[in-house]
Structure formats: C-alpha cells, structure tokens
Amino acid sequence: MAITPRFTRTAAIVAVGAVSAFGLAACSSGDSGDSGASGEPITIEYLHRLPDGEGMTPASEIVDRWNAEHPDIQVKATKFDGKSSDMILKLETDVKAGNGPCLAQTGYSEVPQLFVKGLLQDVADEAKKYEDDFSAGAFSGMKVGDAIVGLPQDTGPLVYFYNEAEFTALGLDAPKTLDDLTADSAAAAAAGKYVTAFTPDEAQNWLSAQSAAAGDTWFSTAGDEWKVDAEGAGSERVAAFWQGLLDGKQTLATERWGEGFTAALNDGSLIGHVGAAWEAGFLLDSLDGTPAEGQWRVAQLPDFGAGAMSGPDGGSGVSVMKGCEYPAEAMEFNDWFNTQVDDLASQGLVVAAKGDVETPEKMLRQFGGQDVLAELSTATENLNPDFPYAPGFSTLSKMNETAAAAVAGTASVADIFTTAQDTAVASLKDLGLPVAE
C-alpha cells in the first residue's frame, strides 16, 4: 500500500492531535488484504512482554485456544525477554526492514511517538467495532488524534492503598477528598506514621497521573499546532498538596524503588500510599507471614478536585504495526485476546476490558479477603478519558530530577510541572512538530 502524507486543517480535536494536522502517514484501516483467497490459513505474529510467571496462564496457552477455535486465522505469539525500550528498538528496526510483527504490545505513552515515526497503522474503522468492550480512559490511550492504532490491554489508574488496622487505631477513615488526605497526613504524622509517600523517582508518570485525576489535559491541539498545558489548575492543586506535606514533614520522602519505601512498609511507619493499580500484585509481598498480612485495603483515589476521577500511571495496549497484511483479522484477535479477563488478570494485569474479574487467591490473602480487582476495575472506569500523551513524552523524565530537588529543598513541587511544560514544548519542537505558544 502506498503511504501518502496528508496535511489538512483539523481544528476540533480534543485528543492528542489529528493525523492530518501534522502530516503523518496513514493507511486505510479497512484493508484486510486477500485473507482466505488461497484457502490457506493466514498467520498473524504477536510480540508481547507479558510476564508468563509461575501460577499465571501463559500467553501461549491463551493463543492456543484462539488457534483451535479459528483455523483460518492462526496467531504466533512470541515473548520478548527484555526492557520495553529494547523491544521498541527491535520493532523500529524490524518494521522499517519490512519484517515486523502484525501486533505488538506498546505502552500508552509510547504510542504517539511510534505513530509519528510511521511504525503504527491507523485501524480506526476496525477499532471502533470493539470500543464498547473497554473503558473509555483506556481506549483513549490507543488514539492519536483521529487515528486509533489498536486496543488497550491493561491499565494503571491511581488508587489509594492503606492499612485499615492502623487507620482504625488512629481513628481515621480512608480519605475521600484531598482535604481528607491532608488531615489524615497531619494526624498520622503526629503519631509517627505516614499515610503517603512522595516518590521523586516516579514523578513523571505519578504526578502527571495526579494532574489527570485533578481534571487536567496536558496535550491537545490548537488548529494545526500542539498545545501543552502541564501547569493547569489541576497541577496547581497537586503541587500545593504535596508542597504542604513536604514542608510539614507529613509525607515519607523516599524513592519508590529504593530500600526506604519497603523498609517503611515493613516497620509499619508507612500506612498509606497513592499508587498505580498494578502495584496491588506485589506491593504487600514483604508483609507475607507478618502481623500486618491481611491488614491493607485498596480504595478509590481521593477526589483531587474533579470528582470520581483517576489518572493513568502506566498500562499498555496491543498496536497494529505498519505493514500488517491483515489488519481486520488482527483486530479480531486483538479484541478476543484482550477480553480474556481472568487469564490476563492471572498475569498480574489490571485489565482494560469491561467485565467481572476473579481476584487471585494471593490478593485475597494479602488484602484481607477484599475483592481487589473489582475495586481496580472501578478505578479503570474512572480514568480521565481526555488525558492523551504526545510524542516525546519520555523526555519528561526530567521531572524526576526536579522532584528530587524538591525533596532536597532546592526546588518547589510547582517547579516539577514547569519542568514538564518546558521539556514537552522543547521535545515537540525538536521532533519538528508545530507548537502553539
């Protein structure tokens, strides 16, 4: 198929930005090749990074069921053992060489840049057939303006984890609002406890997700240009909240993936945490067999000022790669695979598809019998549906450096969002994309 750039003015775009607005390449999403014309089954290759760990339903086993039920559309699933960044490099090399897979697992924040590079295919017509199977917030993660490049697989909505026994002992309830969380922080700190942790090494995704939960949209379009607004009213609320806790020494300031976080969890000083839903699969592992086992619960994120809304901290979908010969058949499998909710949940995923999911025994034990996945499904439904990413989002890792400075007292929390604003604008310009000033 010939790939022709288009450039027409698109003003009414609420998501990332129209394909046409930035002259991006696009293929017809309705072309399904000559499937079945020869009477031979077609083969679709799917590259993924699912963990396939002990006690999980392997991706290959799920795919085997599809293949048994669909003799005309056979899927070959390959697990990539390596970092996400390494897989992206492999995809870029293989697609440009004309031998890339038809489907591949891609992070939501990676999608816009992969599309700009011409690695993903617009399959909007096919994707819309399956839209109702997924939460609106998750589905939006696979959009680049008018283009839709695949279907969502898992999500990372922010939720609130807390030690119910410790909260009860302090006379506290799970916070419903940011004001509640502020008050709980003061009460807990007076008793030598923390109901939150400020984690600078997670600032990029963690704080941007909080801005989304506060109702902000960082990336949109203004006519033919990108518009960046990382310092909106929601970001201001988030910054003021965390600045107050840091100034009052009422939050545990530590790296999320450092020893300090786990140590505070284990010694009982950290009794609450604003975290991504996917953390439920391992957050409490170090408490197994201790008196704290079964004491923790998960609740919806407190209202950050936009009502019952959460923001995306991680998650991925399955994209259709450029050059896929059978996009319609690939999307049929894509929808089927990503609606196998119990199988995907066994992989530790917070599935993007709608439907009841059975909470694994491990989570039931660690969270005192709570139906954790039901709570996380609600959080997925509450995702801000208007928080798309933009090309170059990875460069916003500079937020982590500013967050570390905020902990050290040489920068403010508000400076973190200024870093996001300035870095995003510079990154888009470096990619040759027009930006509204």
Side-chain angles (χ1 to χ4, degrees), residues 127-270:
K128 289 175 183 177
K129 298 176 183 178
Y130 310 112
E131 183 172 2
D132 290 343
D133 291 341
F134 305 92
S135 77
F139 192 81
S140 70
M142 302 305 290
K143 293 181 178 180
V144 186
D146 291 334
I148 307 174
V149 299
L151 295 174
Q153 183 171 90
D154 67 295
T155 67
L158 290 178
V159 293
Y160 186 67
F161 300 99
Y162 68 104
N163 186 314
E164 185 179 55
E166 293 281 2
F167 267 58
T168 299
L170 293 173
L172 304 177
D173 295 319
K176 300 293 186 183
T177 67
L178 213 52
D179 287 342
D180 291 343
L181 189 53
T182 300
D184 288 352
S185 298
K193 307 280 186 178
Y194 299 106
V195 297
T196 64
F198 183 83
T199 53
D201 57 331
E202 275 290 296
Q204 176 188 5
N205 293 303
W206 186 63
L207 289 177
S208 63
Q210 290 177 46
S211 291
D216 279 4
T217 297
W218 280 18
F219 303 105
S220 59
T221 58
D224 292 339
E225 299 175 313
W226 287 93
K227 182 178 179 182
V228 181
D229 186 12
E231 298 177 285
S235 293
E236 290 178 355
R237 285 195 297 275
V238 173
F241 167 71
W242 287 110
Q243 191 66 62
L245 295 193
L246 286 172
D247 290 346
K249 301 187 185 307
Q250 295 174 350
T251 185
L252 176 68
T254 186
E255 291 190 349
R256 174 62 184 89
W257 309 112
E259 295 180 0
F261 186 97
T262 302
L265 194 70
N266 292 346
D267 67 22
S269 57
L270 181 62

Side-chain angles (χ1 to χ4, degrees), residues 222-393:
D224 292 339
E225 299 175 313
W226 287 93
K227 182 178 179 182
V228 181
D229 186 12
E231 298 177 285
S235 293
E236 290 178 355
R237 285 195 297 275
V238 173
F241 167 71
W242 287 110
Q243 191 66 62
L245 295 193
L246 286 172
D247 290 346
K249 301 187 185 307
Q250 295 174 350
T251 185
L252 176 68
T254 186
E255 291 190 349
R256 174 62 184 89
W257 309 112
E259 295 180 0
F261 186 97
T262 302
L265 194 70
N266 292 346
D267 67 22
S269 57
L270 181 62
I271 61 172
H273 171 53
V274 173
W278 42 262
E279 294 183 60
F282 58 85
L283 174 67
L284 306 180
D285 286 357
S286 63
L287 299 180
D288 285 350
T290 73
E293 181 180 329
Q295 292 183 351
W296 283 71
R297 303 290 183 270
V298 60
Q300 296 305 303
L301 188 71
D303 183 354
F304 273 57
M309 184 176 287
S310 186
D313 184 347
S316 62
V318 178
S319 295
V320 178
M321 307 307 295
K322 186 69 73 176
C324 177
E325 188 176 359
Y326 304 108
E329 291 83 355
M331 286 294 287
E332 182 183 352
F333 166 76
N334 202 349
D335 178 69
W336 180 91
F337 186 86
N338 288 313
T339 53
Q340 304 305 298
V341 292
D342 287 331
D343 291 329
L344 294 177
S346 80
Q347 291 268 353
L349 304 184
V350 181
V351 293
K354 298 176 182 178
D356 296 331
V357 188
E358 183 177 352
T359 296
E361 183 279 331
K362 174 187 172 183
M363 284 188 185
L364 291 172
R365 172 173 51 79
Q366 292 183 336
F367 286 88
Q370 183 184 11
D371 189 355
V372 174
L373 292 187
E375 195 72 26
L376 301 185
S377 293
T378 298
T380 295
E381 286 294 319
N382 289 342
L383 276 168
N384 184 338
D386 189 23
F387 196 80
Y389 296 101
F393 183 80

Side-chain angles (χ1 to χ4, degrees), residues 15 29 102 137 179 247 328 411 419:
S29 61
C102 196
D179 287 342
D247 290 346
T419 296

Side-chain angles (χ1 to χ4, degrees), residues 31-107:
D31 181 7
S32 60
D34 57 353
S35 172
S38 66
E40 296 294 325
I42 65 172
T43 298
I44 294 169
E45 294 190 7
Y46 165 43
L47 186 66
H48 69 87
R49 293 183 61 251
L50 294 174
D52 281 351
E54 184 179 352
M56 301 177 180
T57 303
S60 59
E61 183 177 313
I62 306 172
V63 170
D64 284 345
R65 288 206 313 271
W66 164 274
N67 287 338
E69 298 169 7
H70 300 81
D72 295 333
I73 308 173
Q74 296 291 284
V75 175
K76 177 185 177 183
T78 302
K79 175 176 168 55
F80 182 84
D81 291 313
K83 297 179 181 179
S84 174
S85 57
D86 293 335
M87 180 168 157
I88 294 301
L89 289 175
K90 174 179 171 55
L91 288 171
E92 185 167 0
T93 300
D94 291 349
V95 170
K96 288 182 177 179
N99 57 4
C102 196
L103 296 170
Q105 183 178 340
T106 57

Side-chain angles (χ1 to χ4, degrees), residues 9-36:
R9 189 169 188 82
T10 303
I13 298 296
V14 181
V16 179
V19 178
S20 56
F22 305 118
L24 304 181
C27 280
S28 168
S29 61
D31 181 7
S32 60
D34 57 353
S35 172

